[in-house]
Each structure stands twice: as C-alpha cells, then as structure tokens.
Amino acid sequence: NNNNNNNNNNNIITMRSSIFTAPCTNVFLLVGGAQAFANPFQRRGIFANRQTDHKSWENPALGMRERLSSSPSSSSSSLSVLKDLTDDATEQQQSPPPTTTTTTTTSESKILATDDQFVKSLPEKRSYRVVQLPNQLKVLLASDPTTDVESASVHVRAGHFDDPTDRAGLAHFHEHMLFLGTEKYPKEEEYEDYLGRFGGMSNAYTDMEDTNYYFNVSPLEEEGKVEGTTSSALAGALDRFAQFFIAPLFDQSMLERELRAVNSEYLNGRTADNWRSFQLLKHGASHDHPFSKFGCGNYNTLTNGGDAGLKEKEGEENGVDFFGGGTSPRDALIEFWTEKYHSGNIRLCVVGRASLDELQKTVEETFGPVRPPPPGFVANGIIDQINAGVLKLPDEEGSHARDENNDFVFQTEHSTYAPNVAFGSEQLGLVREVVPLVESRTLKIFSLVPPSDDPVLGESRPFRVLSHLVGHESPGSLHHLLTEEGWINSLASGTGISTSDFCLSNIAITLTSKGMKERDQVLAKTWQWFALIKDAVMNDPHGVIEQYHKELKTLTDISFKYREMGDPTDFCSAAAERLFDYEPEKILLGSAETGDYDVEVAQAFLARMTPSNSLVVITGPEAEMEATEESDVSARGAEWETEERYGAKYRQVRVTDALAEEWNHPTEIDPRLRLPGLNEFIPDNLSLRCDDPEHLADLKPDYNYQKEHPKLLVDTPEHRMWHKMDRTFRVPKTSIRLQLVSPNIYSSPRAITLNRIFSSVLSDDLNSYVYDASVAGCNYRVSCTPSAYRLSVSGYSEKLPHLLDVVTSRIASLIEELKEGDEKHPVLADTFQKAKENLLRQTKNYIFESPYETGSYNLRMLLETPVWHINDYTGEMEGPDAEAEPLTMKECAEVVEQCLFGRSKAVSLCIGNIDEKGSQEVADVISDRFLKKRPLIDDETPRFRTLKMPNKAEAMKIFGAETEVSEVPVVFEAVAHSESEENNSVELYMQTASSYELGYEGLAIQEIIGSMAYNSAFNQLRTKEQLGYIVSAFGKKTTGNGNAFCVLVQSSNTLPPALEERCLRWVEQFRKEMEDFPPERFAMEAAAVRANLLEKDIKLSEEIGAVWGEILMTVPHSEHFKNPVFDRVERFADVLTLGGDKEGGVSSIKTAEELKKLVLEFYDKYFLSSERRAVSSRVYNRKAKDLFDANVGKPGVISSYSDARKMKQHLASLPTAPYW
C-alpha cells in the first residue's frame, strides 16, 4: 500500500513470464534452484518460471501434513561401509554415499491404481496411474498430451525433526547439498543449467517432518519425436533429478560455501517477526520432543561449534577443513541420506505429455536404481500405517475406542515420539507476552488437539466446522462483535501447527491499539464464543452443528466437482505428499472427501478447547509498557527472557485457576453473540449457459473456443465492456471485472490516503453483508490504485448478480453515511479511525522491510513520476499538519465520491458462465451506479512515466566532473532502520529503453538475456563468491513502459560498495560467457522463452487474468491504442521463432547465429558501453552508518528523497506509446 503502484498492468506478458512484471513490481527472485527452510507463517507458492521467487515456504497453519520417517536405522553393515569411506580422510573424502544395486522380489512394476479408478472432478482431463516400482517406490503418473509444462516432485518423509542433536538444521542443509552435484552429474550447476535450457526451474523446502523437491521444464518441439513418447526435456531432467536419491556427492569442497549460505538464510530470518514467533513457539515446547528443534540451522550448529566469523585457514589442519573451529558435517550428511533417502521413505509424482506407459518406462529407467527400504520398513504415512496394522480404521458400527477412563482415543496422538509429548501440562495453561520488532498487535490461542488426519478425525473432520464458526464474520459472530467494538483488525482460525502426533488449533486475532488495551475483554468474549459452540455440540447432538457440517460438505462436494486442473508443478509437489496419506485412487480427491457428522468425535475434539489445554500468546509493543500491568491477562511479575536463536523477547506466567475457570465456564455470555444462520448463497443452479439450447445451436464442434477473443459488447465514450462466454473450461463460474479511471485518486498524498482508508472501511463493512457469499465460493474485491478503482466479483454464476448488487449499492450508501458524520454513526466512526490507524502503522512499518526491498523502493522514487513519498503519506496521518487538518469521515466521503461517481471512464469484462444478455444487465448496473457524469477526455486520463536515467556524460553535467571516475554515475544510498538488521544490499539497475523504442524484437532479446543471466549470476555471486543468500539477475519493468536489467544482492558479510563492484564484474564476466556459448544455445533459450509465453491457460481464472491484463493495458493510452491486442503474446512469440519471415510488421530472426549477434550487440549497447544508463541502490546495515554518512553530499550520491527530487528535475521521461 505504501508503494506508488499505478497498476496499469502494461506488462509484456501478463500471467505468463515473470521477467515482464507489472510496473512497480520488483521481481522478487531470491535463490533459483534455491532451497528454503520452511516458514510456518506463509503459504507455499510455486511458480512456473525460474525468474520468480521460488522460495516455497510451507505453512502448517494452512494444513500441510508434516511427517517423520520412523524407519529403523540402516543395517550395521551399511553403516560400517559408510564409516570406512569417511574415515579414509584424504583419499575418500569426496566419495559419494554408496550406491546399491536394486534387489527386489519382483522384476516388474505393480500397478496400484488405473485411470478409471481415480475419483476425478468434471474438468479433469489428465490420465492417471499409480505404480510401485520393483524397488518399492510408489509413483503417481499423470499424462496430459496438451500440457505446456512438464513437472516432477519427490516428497521425502523426513525433515528437521530428524536432525541429530549435535547438528541442528542438518535436514535443511542436506536439502541444499543435494543440488550441488551427483556421481553421474558432478558439475554443481549441471541440474539448474539443464532445466534453464528448457525454460524450467527447480526448488525445494524442508519442513518439520517432510522435505519436498520439485522441478518443471517446457517440452520443446523435437524433430522426429514419436508421438506419445517422453520428451527429451523431461527424460533428461528426471535422469538428473533421480541422481539426488541414487548417488549424491556431498562434495567436501562445497560444504563451507553452502554452510555460509544457510547461515545467511538464518540471519535474514532474525529480523522477521514471523520467524521469531515460530522459533519461540518451538522453544516453549518440551525439549524432549523434536518440535523444539532449531530447524533452519546456522554455521555454528551445523559445524558443531564452528564460528563463521573466524578466518578460514589455508589448507587443512589435522587432515580436515577448518570449519571455523568446528567439524565437518559430511559424515552426518551421508548418514542422514542413507537412513532417510530410500524408496520406502519417498514418493514421486510426474506430469508429462507422454502416454502413461511411456512415462512409466522413463520413471523405471531413471528412478529404478533408488535403494529399496530396509526389511520391515513402514513409512510414517496414514495409508502405510493402516496397511501394516499400526493404525486401524473405525469399524462399520461407528463405535470408537476408549481408554480405561472412558476417554476418547485418537490413535495417532502422541504416538510417533512416545513417550515424549511436545506440549504437556507444563507448556500449556500459560499467558506469554512477546515484544515485536515492527509495530504489530496480535492475540493467539493455541489449543492442543489430535493430528488432523487421525483415522477417526479423517471421516467427519470436526475441526472444519469449528474453524468455520470461530472465524465466521456475520452479524452475531465473535468477529462482528469485536470489529464493532473497534478492538480487532482481523480474526482467523484453523490448524496452527500440524505434525504426525499432535496439532495446535489456532485462533489468530490482530488487535487495534484499542483492542490491546481491552485484551481482557477480547479474551473473555472469545472464550464465551467457544462456550456457545461447545454448548451446541454437547447439548444439541443433531441440531444446528450437524446442519453446518452438511452445508460445508455440500460446498466441498461442489468445489471438488468443478475443480479445474492446476499448475503441474504445484500439483506434483502436493500430490507426491498425498501418496503417503491417501489411497491411490483418492489422491485427487484428498481432503475433499468428508463423511457424515459424528457427534461423538465432535464432542471429544471440542473437549480439548480449554484454557488449561491452551497457550495464549499476546504480541505488541505495549508489552513493555506499564499500562499492561492493569490487565488481568498479563505476565507481570515474570522476568523478561530472550529466545537464543532469533532473539524474541518474551515473558510468561501461568493462567490463574480463577481466570481459567471463568474462561472455561463463563458466568455470562454477551447477548450480542449468537450462532450464524444457514448460508443462503449456496448455489442450486449449476447449469452452463453454453449448454442452453440457443447457444448449443451455434456450437462449432471443431472450433477452438479457447482462442476466441472477447467481444466488445458496450462501446460508449464513458464505458467499454468486453464479453466472452466460456465453452472451454465448462465450470459454472463467472467473473465480472470493472475499472473506474479517475485523475482525482492520486491528485495529492491526502487524496490517495483518504481513498485507501475508504477501501479499508468498505472491506470491513461489507464483511457482515457478504461473508456467507465468500464461504459459498462467491468473492468480491474493491481496491484502489493511483489511477483507478477496481471492482471484481467472481464465483458461482447463480448468486453473482445479487452479490454485485449488494456490493455496488453498499458503496453508495456507505459514502452517504460517512457524510453524516461521527455522531450519527459512532460504530462507523470507530471503523474509520481503525482504518486510519492501520494504514499509518502499515506505512510506518515499511521502514522495517528488508534492505533489498528498501533499495527497490528508493529506485522507484527516483525513476518514476509522479510519485508521493512514504513520508508524504505519514504526514497526512500524524504530526503537526495532521493535527491541524485531521482526516475526517466527511472529507473522505467527498473525495471518494468524486473518484467513484464523478467524471471518469470505465472498462469492464464479463467472462465465464454468462451470456450477452446477462452481461448487458451487468453493464446497466455499472452505468446506473457509477457513470452519471460526462466521461473524461483522453488528456485527463492519469498517466505515469519512467524517467530516462543519465549516462556518464549526462551525469557529469548534473553533478560535476568528479562523477567521471565512477563506474556507476548515480548512487542512491540509505541506511536500514532496524538496529538489529545485519544485511546490506545493492540493486544495480541498468536501463535499456522504453517498450516502444525496443519493440517486439528488443523486448525479446532482453527476455533472452534475463533467461540466460539468472543462473550465471546465482552461481557466481551466491554459490561461488558467497556474497549472500539473496542473489538475482532479472529484467525489470517500471511504470510508463520503462525497461531495465537488474542485478540484486543482499548480504550479511559484504558492504554495498563491494557488492556493487562484484555485480559490475559479473556483468563483464557474463558477456564473456555468452561469447563462448554456441549459437545453438541462444536458439534453445529463444525456444524455451517462446514455450513459456505460449503456455495455454489451464483454468478459467488464468484466461481471465490474461484477458483482463490486455484490456487494462489500453487504459493509459489515447484513442489510437484503445483496442486490446488479445493475440499480443502470440505475436511476441513469433519474434522468437527462428527462420520466419517478416509478417504483420513483426520481424522474425532468421538464424541462431544472427540471434547471438543481436543479443551481444544489445548487451554491449545497454550494459557495457559509455552510454550505459546505470543507477545503484545501496542500503547499509546500521553498523555501517558511518560509511553512509561519509558519502552524503558527494557528487552523484543521492542520500535522501530531497536529493532525488532535485535530480529528477534534470531528466526527461521515456516515451509511453505502446510497442504493438
């Protein structure tokens, strides 16, 4: 929100190629092939292009199942062989773990599930098979002849819970090391380079009880390839991937470098509150349970006492490397790999174009040599445990096991690590106060419950109903009451931590400053809400709770029935894990299968939600203030402590018996609290408009409707609407998109601030109106960008018109209520004040962003115009000016009214399960609600521009002759705000030209350079030079069609000037590397980029994003460019097709030699010549502030936004005309 993102979406390849990102969006690419320790507070996201941020951080709170391999140790003979290898210090150091020839009792793979046995959704078009190879490896194969992305993933049931006590973080470090060479492919960058040549990427993450590896490639066209056979891209990638699990090297010479990479990753997390909170939760668990382990690891723990700060000695000492005075972890790596990485403890999923038979053949050839499991091994997966008799399914009678005290028995609870329990009576029944790094206020209640996939819970899933009710936002709910009081910003519930032998159910509340003062009341109301739910479960066994269960089951069934195919990479990563926990034929169904309501299970589950079985964690800056002493829920009297790994400051006390009793059995329940009614938004009519008789009559059987462009349905000066009825994906869903362009939104810092506040107020207000709609799969979003308001309504078609009517009507009535002021609407006044406080807090917290994000923001402030600085926003909300002219509800309403209902122009899109008649009705609603004034003329349309950065000669005119000695004539410097920030960063920005000046051909060449450069920069600056964990080289697009190539490094061990120098040397080095590449390498890169661009949309939402992006691209331009170029991507791809002819004004490049020549010429012109337009954005950590101070005032050094404003007055802007 703090960035001046105009969101014009004039990106090159919308939703396809991340190197062509939306303006003002930094390509947030950290560690390609890059491995990551699982972060429990962010959902894992997998991207299909290696130029994006591939950090796949797992979120236990969102249900990813963690597991631990319970495998017995390998046989003593295997261990003795390993010991012999590693004891031979010098000659055998580099030996890989022993490879064992597969020995099985069967010679052929066994088919466990055929395609016709799979439970599938209606849109599902892939063919599936589950096989078990002779070595007992279980594999899910998915054949999709139409896919443009082929992918594979291996899931290992071993994570940081398996770390040895003297090597914390070993599982995470082991994951890193597998990428650095195998016996068959010893070159460390071989795997990544191979994937890159086929437009692919790879990554991995390590979690508590799991590790996941995945990759994807684009199956390029091959001459002479037999249809249905495995592509060479996938076959080669699988061969290289399989070697991770057959013969990794764990090369001794690479250990030191990768140890420092993990240490850098750890240091990055020390300044993030989510990491600190997670480790503090682990720290508070029983230290006898592996949950308490330090999973990321650092140099000290991985070397068993080594100090990364000690100077590395030359050569060797006593036959071993120095390792900062510690010991080498190689033996431990080999032992870990041998014990955990065998076929019984891993699962594989592959998606490819080839037939199932061919995919199976390829997998047998590549993964067949993986070692079989030791005799008697049973994986720690639900299905394996049931098949082995370790776990039992509930009997058909529906009765459940109970212990000698008649307490309900959950089989998996506290079983994996028995007799050790993560959270017992000593760890629960506590109130913990935590001091955050950035200003934030949260209240969380963690309750110990059984594992969510326990066989008993797996049928009726009572936690779903509980989460549904706790987080409900309708009138009468806890959320509504706390919001109405102005105490909270948000409330969410779900599974906070999920492992194989326990879960922590979690209710997470973000508090306002007022809510923090009233935290006693917030907690009291929360426990009263629990009591209401418990009462319904315990005393009305077949009443409203069962009805909620049936509702959720209906919604889940509908959602699965129409679930579209997802990204192959994401699918593989998730499906490989599901192979551990679901019957083969139900892997696609997964957790979407829900049984009938079981009151006995629900009562047993809800009985765990008590204060004595819970942990209350309160985080906020007030924790250190005396005011908290007045609260009954305070850890006053306890000593402040500091968690050793990440440095979280906390104190805690036990909840008093009296308070626990009041929470558990409230003497009264607030009369405003009541359970919600049943959901009226659940769709009944799921018919498809394309199947209506009048549309069936127009159907062309052989026509590819996916290539059909949207039709311009409304074309007036004030409104242009496009429509497309879906015939391809065949799901009963519709999306309505609207953009209302206004020059008033960004007319001043005050105007954009008021508009952002209104967006927040509207969101809060609408929750009570349309929460049920969102639960039922109908969603809305109203957002404010600097140039326009955007409204989207999407979901099941039947209920969408009503949702659109509710949202648009409420916008108008809310503005009127704001005009009427505080006295008439005190609750709305509290909401307005809360929205203002939140925006101020978020804006101020920006200064605590990581150094590379700060550096990217500073670049934008220098490059783009018009922009308002972050200080302009805060000045409207606090300080003397804000006190003299405070923001009021009335002023907010008047400003927003001008933006939404004043002169504007609109573009909209109706797409999906909606016909022309329905779309015209939507157009009428838009016209009636918003378009009542005459439209904007073209010159009034807000336009944002990128300034042309100076080359060296031009910089000398601005700053003086002294800048001649600098390789980079303009440097923007800043200091990290946080005292604990240990990282520095540099972003070297090298501007090319506007999109108009580059044209299709120039943009294509820049894309090829970015595609090739990433791995080179990563390997040199991160892997070899160990400058930092965050390293990237990428293309960057700025507002107004600006383009550049950037090199970014964030480092805890190197200062910005040195980082900048190393980036410059790499720029020169990469030119030499490209000179040495054969022409065929350039042709392959062009083919890979082209394949990425032409990836077909595999679900309706992807088509919507692509089409809407094209429409939005036309908005800033004059009437001469008002028609979207819906085939722009195809035209762009034509440029990358070698040997083509000039056609339609888009030139194709004839030969690979010509392409190489053009790429080198482009590189020389923009990145190495005297005309280079380069800017360096440096951010120093606090310890290096003296260096920053010493540079203030030097020629060419910009040290503040005031300096930037001065420089911008000398600069012209780039042309904004489009290139198509």
Side-chain angles (χ1 to χ4, degrees), residues 1107-1166:
V1107 168
W1108 184 233
E1110 295 296 335
I1111 292 171
L1112 292 182
M1113 287 175 65
T1114 66
V1115 172
H1117 302 301
S1118 69
E1119 68 274 11
H1120 306 290
F1121 306 106
K1122 67 180 183 180
N1123 293 319
V1125 184
F1126 291 115
D1127 63 348
R1128 184 177 55 92
V1129 170
E1130 288 74 15
R1131 295 188 191 184
F1132 194 93
D1134 286 344
V1135 178
L1136 295 161
T1137 305
L1138 301 188
D1141 296 321
K1142 292 187 177 181
E1143 191 174 312
V1146 177
S1147 63
S1148 293
I1149 301 165
K1150 299 283 187 182
T1151 65
E1153 290 76 10
E1154 182 183 346
L1155 175 62
K1156 177 178 179 178
K1157 179 175 179 290
L1158 288 172
V1159 168
L1160 293 177
E1161 288 175 350
F1162 185 100
Y1163 197 90
D1164 290 341
K1165 175 180 178 180
Y1166 290 112

Side-chain angles (χ1 to χ4, degrees), residues 235-254:
L238 283 171
D239 186 35
R240 288 159 176 79
F241 188 41
Q243 297 305 309
F244 286 23
F245 313 97
I246 297 171
L249 285 178
F250 301 124
D251 192 325
Q252 181 84 3
S253 67
M254 298 180 188

Side-chain angles (χ1 to χ4, degrees), residues 993-1013:
S994 71
S995 298
Y996 167 74
E997 292 166 310
L998 292 177
Y1000 280 103
E1001 188 173 285
L1003 290 167
I1005 290 171
Q1006 183 170 281
E1007 168 75 341
I1008 291 170
I1009 290 172
S1011 180
M1012 293 194 298

Side-chain angles (χ1 to χ4, degrees), residues 43 53-54 61 116 145 328 423 434 479 516 544 586 649 670 724 741 820 914 923 968 970 1005 1093 1120 1187 1208:
R43 179 178 288 279
D53 170 18
H54 304 312
D116 59 354
S328 170
F423 291 90
V434 184
H479 183 282
M516 180 62 81
V544 67
K586 293 184 177 180
K649 184 178 180 180
D670 193 306
K724 180 179 179 181
V741 177
E820 292 171 346
I914 187 170
V968 180
V970 180
I1005 290 171
L1093 298 178
H1120 306 290
L1187 293 176
K1208 290 167 77 169

Side-chain angles (χ1 to χ4, degrees), residues 494-628:
T495 302
I497 298 293
S498 178
T499 78
S500 62
D501 77 341
F502 79 92
C503 278
L504 289 178
S505 178
N506 177 33
I507 176 169
I509 301 171
T510 59
L511 300 169
T512 63
S513 55
K514 181 180 178 182
M516 180 62 81
K517 294 175 184 176
E518 299 292 342
R519 65 196 202 182
D520 291 12
Q521 284 295 314
V522 174
L523 276 164
K525 306 300 183 192
T526 301
W527 287 105
Q528 289 171 27
W529 187 237
F530 277 138
L532 262 182
I533 298 170
K534 282 185 185 179
D535 180 68
V537 172
M538 302 298 180
N539 301 321
D540 188 13
H542 297 290
V544 67
I545 301 297
E546 184 168 5
Q547 290 178 292
Y548 294 145
H549 178 91
K550 289 178 179 178
E551 273 193 348
L552 293 177
K553 186 177 187 302
T554 298
L555 289 171
T556 302
D557 291 345
I558 293 173
S559 177
F560 176 74
K561 182 177 180 179
Y562 294 103
R563 187 173 72 193
E564 299 172 84
M565 296 190 301
D567 169 70
T569 313
D570 204 353
F571 170 79
C572 279
S573 181
E577 180 180 18
R578 288 184 186 174
L579 280 165
F580 279 102
D581 297 319
Y582 295 97
E583 297 170 17
E585 61 272 15
K586 293 184 177 180
I587 287 172
L588 304 181
L589 181 62
S591 61
E593 182 179 35
T594 304
D596 294 331
Y597 180 67
D598 189 320
V599 64
E600 191 179 1
V601 173
Q603 290 174 343
F605 188 85
L606 265 293
R608 305 299 183 90
M609 314 300 288
T610 65
S612 61
N613 197 48
S614 301
L615 170 68
V616 177
V617 181
I618 302 168
T619 302
E622 294 88 348
E624 292 182 292
M625 301 175 186
E626 290 299 320
T628 60

Side-chain angles (χ1 to χ4, degrees), residues 57-250:
W57 285 339
E58 177 47 28
N59 183 351
L62 294 167
M64 174 63 80
R65 168 77 155 73
E66 285 83 32
R67 288 302 193 186
L68 168 71
S69 167
S70 56
S71 61
S73 298
S74 302
S75 65
S76 58
S77 59
S78 296
L79 288 176
S80 64
V81 171
L82 280 170
K83 182 129 186 355
D84 291 340
L85 282 169
T86 54
D87 279 351
D88 190 357
T90 55
E91 294 185 10
Q92 298 293 333
Q93 259 180 27
Q94 305 303 319
S95 300
T99 57
T100 307
T101 303
T102 303
T103 304
T104 59
T105 56
T106 60
S107 59
E108 295 182 354
S109 297
K110 178 181 178 182
I111 296 178
L112 303 181
T114 58
D115 182 60
D116 59 354
Q117 294 175 300
F118 277 79
V119 181
K120 297 182 181 182
S121 64
L122 290 179
E124 183 63 64
K125 296 174 183 174
R126 295 173 182 143
S127 299
Y128 294 93
R129 178 185 296 172
V130 174
V131 300
Q132 180 173 292
L133 304 188
N135 61 0
Q136 300 182 44
L137 175 62
K138 293 177 182 175
V139 185
L140 171 63
L141 305 170
S143 173
D144 182 358
T146 66
T147 186
D148 295 316
V149 176
E150 298 183 309
S151 182
S153 175
V154 164
H155 196 85
V156 186
R157 187 94 327 155
H160 77 254
F161 278 16
D162 299 286
D163 290 346
T165 56
D166 62 343
R167 303 278 180 184
L170 185 73
H172 176 211
F173 181 55
H174 176 275
E175 170 224 307
H176 277 242
M177 289 300 299
L178 284 191
F179 285 80
L180 299 181
T182 61
E183 188 177 56
K184 185 173 182 180
Y185 299 102
K187 187 179 176 183
E188 64 182 271
E189 61 270 16
E190 165 64 30
Y191 179 58
E192 288 296 326
D193 281 352
Y194 179 86
L195 298 178
R197 292 197 296 274
F198 290 93
M201 52 73 65
S202 74
N203 209 346
Y205 65 86
T206 302
D207 214 329
M208 292 182 282
E209 298 178 292
D210 303 86
T211 305
N212 188 277
Y213 304 84
Y214 53 89
F215 74 80
N216 65 39
V217 289
S218 296
L220 307 183
E221 297 177 6
E222 302 173 50
E223 290 186 12
K225 180 180 178 297
V226 177
E227 185 176 353
T229 58
T230 305
S231 70
S232 60
L234 181 61
L238 283 171
D239 186 35
R240 288 159 176 79
F241 188 41
Q243 297 305 309
F244 286 23
F245 313 97
I246 297 171
L249 285 178
F250 301 124

Side-chain angles (χ1 to χ4, degrees), residues 984-1034:
N984 307 284
S985 74
V986 156
E987 183 174 344
L988 177 62
Y989 174 94
M990 294 175 287
Q991 193 173 66
T992 53
S994 71
S995 298
Y996 167 74
E997 292 166 310
L998 292 177
Y1000 280 103
E1001 188 173 285
L1003 290 167
I1005 290 171
Q1006 183 170 281
E1007 168 75 341
I1008 291 170
I1009 290 172
S1011 180
M1012 293 194 298
Y1014 179 77
N1015 280 343
S1016 172
F1018 181 82
N1019 290 332
Q1020 180 62 37
L1021 301 176
R1022 196 271 207 183
T1023 304
K1024 294 178 180 177
E1025 298 188 30
Q1026 283 296 307
L1027 293 179
Y1029 182 68
I1030 295 176
V1031 171
S1032 189
F1034 55 94

